[in-house]
Each structure stands twice: as C-alpha cells, then as structure tokens.
Amino acid sequence: MDNNVKNLIFSNDVSGNIDAIAKELSPAGIYVIADVNTATFVVDRLAKTSTAIAGAHRITVKSGDINKTIESVTDIWKELNRQGATRNSLVVNIGGGMVTDMGGFAAATFKRGLRFVNIPTTLLAAVDASVGGKTGINFNQYKNEVGLFCNAHAVIISTCFFDTLPREEILSGFAEMIKHAIIDANVGLGDLLRSDISAGTYTGSNFLEHVRRSVMVKQDIVSKDFKETGLRRILNLGHTIGHAFESHALRHGIPIAHGYAVAWGLVTELLISHMTLGLPTDIIYPLAKFIYENYGAYEISCDDYPSLLQLMGHDKKNESPDAITFSLLRDIGVIETGITVDPDTIRAALDIYRDLMHI
C-alpha cells in the first residue's frame, strides 16, 4: 500500500490545479462538499476561475464540528445517490477539518469508495486534518469515534483563502504547527513562538513555506506508519488531553476549537513529560506563556477531573480503558510513545496547568 497522498500540492493556484486533476481523471461527475460558510466565501470564489468547480454538483452541510455526525454523513450519501454519483465520480472536499474528515469518510464509504480531493481552507485543516489519511465522524459524544484510514487522491494546500478566517481559526492551526516543531527540532520551535501571526501575515508565499515544512513533518511520519501502529503515535502529542477537553466541552454544550484544545493539551502533556521523562522546564514555560497569551485557557476545576480521566481512558489509542497512554517528550524532537501514566500524575499536571493558565 502507498501510504502517501498521490498528489500533495503546495500552490496558491488552486483553480489551475483542480482543473488539471479533473482533466487527468475525467470523472463521471464532480461533487463538491462544503459547509454553508465555505460554500459562500470559497466555493463561489473558486467557481469564477475553475471550470471543474463551476460545473460541479454541490452538497452543502451545516458548519461546526458539532455537525460532524452520522446524520450529516447520511445526508451526503443521499445526495450522492440522488444526483447519480458512480464509482468513477470525484468528490472535492472544500473547507476545514470537519469537511475533509466527514467528506472523506462519506466518499470512502459510498459505493465502497469514490476518489476524493481535499482543498483545506483553514490553517488547521491544511497542516493536520486534510493529510494523513484519517477520515471520520464524532459519535455518541466522542470525538472521531467512527472512521477509517483512506488517502485522498490529492490535497491542494494554499494560503490564499486564509484571508476569510478569523484570528481564532489561524491560531487553531498554528497549535498543530507548534506541535510539529516540538516533534522535529529542524522546524524551529523558538522561531514559531516569535512569529508574527497578526492579520495579513499568513496569506502569502512566505507563510506557505512555513506551512509546507510543517505538513512535511506529518507526511514523513505517516508514510512510515500509516495506520498508527507505532511511530505515527508521536503525532498524538497534546491530543490525549486535548481530545478529552474537546469531548468535555461537547458534553457541556460549549464546543471548543480543536487547535485550542491541542494547545492546552500540549501544555499539560509537556508537564507530564517533565514529571515522567525529565523534560526541561525551560521548554515548558515559554510555551505555556505563549499559549496563555494567545489562546487563553480552558477553565476546569478539580470537580472536572473524574470526567476528564474517564474521557482519556476512552481514547482510541489506549490498549485498554484502564491504561491511559501518552506520547511524551524527553526533549525537542525526542518523543516516546505508548507511555502509561497513572491518574495521580495526570491530576498533578492538571493542577499545574490551572496555575500556569491562571485559573
């Protein structure tokens, strides 16, 4: 099996690239999946310059991770069926991680698999969700509980749509870039933490190169361990606790952005790394300061710990619900996977997280 995306394209000429892909594949119909916001701000814009998008069937879904559900997938399947999609059709997912996750899942399962292309329109989707072959939906209040591994035929990564995003969306993706810089010392964590991510600095070719370097960290790891049996688990840094924060927020009806949850999860898991593997604190405190100043805090109390621990125990990457495992850090670029951490250590890390986040 080829574990790489066949075509991983970094270019601000999105229309030219999607038209070239459509010409190469000659699909029996093109089906664009987008949420209500992206349909207006991006798909309409692309349709003015792309023949493929202008002539495509459109399937619009509700926006927000709370709508990444089996009901939404069913609606997509119904539309694909109603509009006559065949196994030779092409699905084009245009949007953030919710759209690429769910659209990829819908395409990969309809008629046992349609080819699909991801065009991420958010920084988070560009550096995380749109590459790596993970598709899926939330189920029974658990994040990404149902899904499968399936690579897109192509991913077109661009910065040209980032001008449609609020700063919160840029920060959400920037958290994954920080994670990649922690994983790979060559990316430069210090440079990222000193970066100017104010409005207008993230739509050009310079920022596209930063995005490319970040994506290639993930792509290199995925190519060696597509189904997350070993090495790929280092990409879960920040996610065991981050996903618990997300699911906890969903349970309370106040969904939080994935990248923000990862940012807070990174702080907490680096604290666990210090307690268990001796990660130097001079790495943790500048990161925690940057996270607090830019992301604020996910406010929790001691009363939330049992629920958070239960959610961590349900994480798909655990060997059993009684053993909470993490990918943890000895130093920048030195990560160990599959480390079981006892509940007392996790509680202690959450205590310090609350102190660092001024809760």
Side-chain angles (χ1 to χ4, degrees):
M1 176 187 292
D2 184 357
N3 292 338
N4 287 312
V5 177
K6 183 178 179 183
N7 300 298
L8 183 53
I9 301 164
F10 298 89
S11 171
N12 282 332
D13 180 14
V14 177
S15 294
N17 280 285
I18 191 62
D19 285 352
I21 291 168
K23 183 178 180 180
E24 172 204 350
L25 296 179
S26 293
I30 297 174
Y31 298 82
V32 169
I33 299 176
D35 68 25
V36 291
N37 295 324
T38 309
T40 300
F41 295 112
V42 177
V43 179
D44 285 347
R45 182 166 146 187
L46 271 178
K48 294 176 182 177
T49 54
S50 165
T51 303
I53 301 303
H57 304 276
R58 295 195 189 185
I59 300 173
T60 304
V61 298
K62 294 178 182 178
S63 61
D65 201 70
I66 198 169
N67 292 302
K68 195 170 77 172
T69 62
I70 190 64
E71 291 79 15
S72 296
V73 171
T74 300
D75 288 341
I76 293 172
W77 288 329
K78 287 178 179 177
E79 279 300 296
L80 289 169
N81 179 268
R82 186 183 69 80
Q83 296 181 24
T86 73
R87 291 184 72 180
N88 192 41
S89 298
L90 177 68
V91 169
V92 181
N93 301 309
I94 304 177
M98 186 275 280
V99 170
T100 59
D101 279 0
M102 184 167 67
F105 179 69
T109 50
F110 187 77
K111 294 187 183 295
R112 296 196 178 97
L114 308 185
R115 296 165 298 184
F116 63 96
V117 172
N118 288 335
I119 302 178
T121 59
T122 68
L123 179 56
L124 179 59
V127 300
D128 184 39
S130 66
V131 294
K134 286 185 177 179
T135 70
I137 55 171
N138 304 331
F139 182 72
N140 199 28
Q141 296 185 319
Y142 290 105
K143 176 84 172 173
N144 296 329
E145 181 76 351
V146 176
L148 54 90
F149 290 94
C150 183
N151 263 325
H153 173 81
V155 180
I156 304 172
I157 294 177
S158 162
T159 60
C160 65
F161 303 120
F162 293 172
D163 60 354
T164 67
L165 303 176
R167 188 167 185 265
E168 178 187 77
E169 288 286 350
I170 295 296
L171 284 169
S172 206
F174 202 75
E176 289 286 346
M177 293 176 71
I178 290 171
K179 182 197 75 177
H180 291 158
I182 292 171
I183 290 171
D184 189 334
N186 294 319
V187 174
L189 177 62
D191 290 342
L192 278 184
L193 297 185
R194 290 187 293 271
S195 294
D196 177 9
I197 48 174
S198 57
T201 62
Y202 39 77
T203 56
S205 58
N206 288 339
F207 194 70
L208 182 59
E209 174 57 20
H210 284 297
V211 171
R212 186 195 68 79
R213 289 167 60 189
S214 185
V215 170
M216 294 315 296
V217 172
K218 178 171 184 176
Q219 184 68 6
D220 180 59
I221 293 166
V222 168
S223 70
K224 298 169 182 173
D225 181 21
F226 185 57
K227 292 197 173 179
E228 203 170 54
T229 58
L231 177 66
R232 184 170 178 168
R233 292 179 182 178
I234 69 176
L235 292 170
N236 297 324
L237 184 68
H239 283 64
T240 299
I241 290 178
H243 279 161
F245 285 159
E246 278 188 276
S247 295
H248 184 265
L250 280 173
R251 283 184 173 181
H252 289 80
I254 46 167
I256 56 178
H258 173 73
Y260 277 57
V262 169
W264 299 320
L266 282 172
V267 172
T268 314
E269 292 186 21
L270 263 58
L271 289 166
I272 295 173
S273 297
H274 170 69
M275 296 175 188
T276 58
L277 299 181
L279 176 71
T281 56
D282 60 3
I283 294 172
I284 301 172
Y285 290 112
L287 175 68
K289 182 175 184 290
F290 180 90
I291 297 301
Y292 176 71
E293 290 177 350
N294 289 278
Y295 296 81
Y298 183 59
E299 297 203 5
I300 55 172
S301 71
C302 296
D303 294 338
D304 296 308
Y305 291 3
S307 176
L308 289 169
L309 286 165
Q310 184 268 329
L311 289 165
M312 292 175 214
H314 197 83
D315 192 283
K316 299 180 294 300
K317 294 167 282 293
N318 291 327
E319 298 294 330
S320 77
D322 299 320
I324 302 174
T325 59
F326 290 83
S327 297
L328 298 175
L329 201 69
R330 286 192 183 276
D331 204 343
I332 299 297
V334 184
I335 298 180
E336 296 188 13
T337 63
I339 298 176
T340 302
V341 179
D342 64 273
D344 286 342
T345 300
I346 297 171
R347 292 188 196 97
L350 290 169
D351 284 340
I352 302 171
Y353 158 83
R354 289 167 56 212
D355 288 340
L356 291 176
M357 297 292 109
H358 305 280
I359 299 170

